[in-house]
DNA sequence: TGATATTGCTCAGTATGCTGACTATCAGTA
DNA sequence: TACTGATAGTCAGCATACTGAGCAATATCA
């Protein structure tokens, strides 16, 4: 009888569950209200000004139907803006606002703290190993989900 | 500038995303309609007949408010039964049905296949290492989520 | 025993994440 | 240029996850 602890799928779920909880706790302690998903989206918008939603989704491996709601909430919080593209009238160009920039800057220590806490049971080397193995497994399975990671086409 | 790939939290999300996609695909190929969460709950009910919902939630680290809907769906599919406890009238005792037992038996190869696919980018040793490191990180962070893993009190 | 705390469960509300369908638009080609 | 297929975005619907509140029942202890 296989135990849950022998199932990588179950370990994946647990690890993610803890990651989200730690992130939210650290960010709230810092006085902010931002989810891991919203943070990743905002940071990626900042790094790629004017990108469209599909490109953003590809860069962080979100489903295109999920990103709609995430951006809705970033816009509602005044952290990002969505405007029609002049080149392609189907597309929306995304920009970070000054408020979004400020928030990102101030929230960074909490985000980094969350990453440390998530690995607190491991030595530095073990943490590196875990990340390396996760990256490798993820790369091999990238195309198995509906929302694979995609590079910038540039 | 820290890349997403250097954030264990982001890797956790991607790994879990792929794990769910692989599980659902394998199970559907086998002709069944069961989510990873439903599978874990059903298998745990089978292994611990008559357990109550809070205990079940603790054994698989689900939130108590999440388990309600999961069990609803297992009951609706005819795979499990929920009955009032005679010892404690607040509690519900959970049982697997014959249909549930049959489903579990027939679905096992697909579930095991999903676990293999999830690690297909890794060697056997790397897969073992990944699981060991995940277990260690999870153990250290167990109490950081609202739904920690709990042992049977017996 | 009676007041208080705790526990098992449910519900409303919010945020992912997905499937599948739909509209508007664009791109390529006959 | 008219047709065809692909693409960007949205929406409805379903299944986790969680917060916080509430109800009923049990446990505890003065």
């Amino acid at each position: 009888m296989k135990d849950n602890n022998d199932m990588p799928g179950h370990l994946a779920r647990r690890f993610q569950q803890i990651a989200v909880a730690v992130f939210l706790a650290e960010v709230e302690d810092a006085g902010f209200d931002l989810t891991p998903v919203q943070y990743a989206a905002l940071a990626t918008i900042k790094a790629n000004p004017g990108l469209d939603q599909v490109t953003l989704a590809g860069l962080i491996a979100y489903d295109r139907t999920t990103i709609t709601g995430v951006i809705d909430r970033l816009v509602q919080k005044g952290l990002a803006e969505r405007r029609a593209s002049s080149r392609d009238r189907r597309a929306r160009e995304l920009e970070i606002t000054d408020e979004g920039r400020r928030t990102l800057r101030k929230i960074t220590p909490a985000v980094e703290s969350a990453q440390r806490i998530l690995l607190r049971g491991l030595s530095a080397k073990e943490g590196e190993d875990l990340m390396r193995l996760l990256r490798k497994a993820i790369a091999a399975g990238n195309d198995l989900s509906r929302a694979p990671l995609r590079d910038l086409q540039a």
Side-chain angles (χ1 to χ4, degrees), chain A:
Chain A
M1 166 65 182
K2 229 175 162 71
D3 188 88
N4 272 334
N5 274 35
D6 296 324
M7 307 258 243
H10 187 258
L11 298 175
R13 183 186 157 280
R14 289 284 290 133
F15 191 53
Q16 149 78 351
Q17 178 183 43
I18 292 167
V20 172
V22 168
F23 185 100
L24 291 176
E26 288 302 298
V27 163
E28 189 186 341
D29 278 1
F32 291 93
D33 170 33
L34 210 63
T35 67
V37 161
Q38 289 165 16
Y39 169 81
L42 190 57
T44 304
I45 292 172
K46 184 193 168 201
N48 304 271
L51 84 175
D52 63 287
Q53 296 187 190
V54 167
T55 305
L56 170 59
L59 288 173
I60 47 186
Y62 291 7
D63 193 272
R64 71 185 192 286
T65 63
T66 300
I67 209 92
T68 299
V70 174
I71 297 171
D72 281 351
R73 286 179 280 280
L74 287 178
V75 169
Q76 200 200 336
K77 289 176 181 174
L79 306 178
E81 280 175 3
R82 192 194 251 146
R83 68 171 67 109
S85 164
S86 48
R87 291 173 282 95
D88 185 339
R89 281 187 303 171
R90 291 169 303 180
R92 314 297 160 91
E93 288 175 358
L94 304 172
E95 294 287 350
I96 189 170
T97 63
D98 289 344
E99 172 78 18
R101 240 179 282 271
R102 248 193 314 277
T103 297
L104 264 191
R105 199 165 45 238
K106 288 204 242 169
I107 216 180
T108 299
V111 172
E112 287 172 354
S113 166
Q115 308 308 309
R116 276 194 304 276
I117 292 173
L118 188 54
L119 299 183
R120 71 177 182 184
L122 306 180
S123 69
K125 175 175 184 323
E126 286 175 327
E128 279 306 317
D129 284 348
L130 176 55
M131 293 213 283
R132 180 178 51 77
L133 293 170
L134 280 175
R135 275 191 289 265
K136 198 169 175 183
I138 289 165
N142 188 49
D143 290 329
L144 301 178
S145 81
R146 169 164 141 163
L149 194 71
R150 293 187 195 289
D151 287 339
L152 268 184
Q153 297 303 327

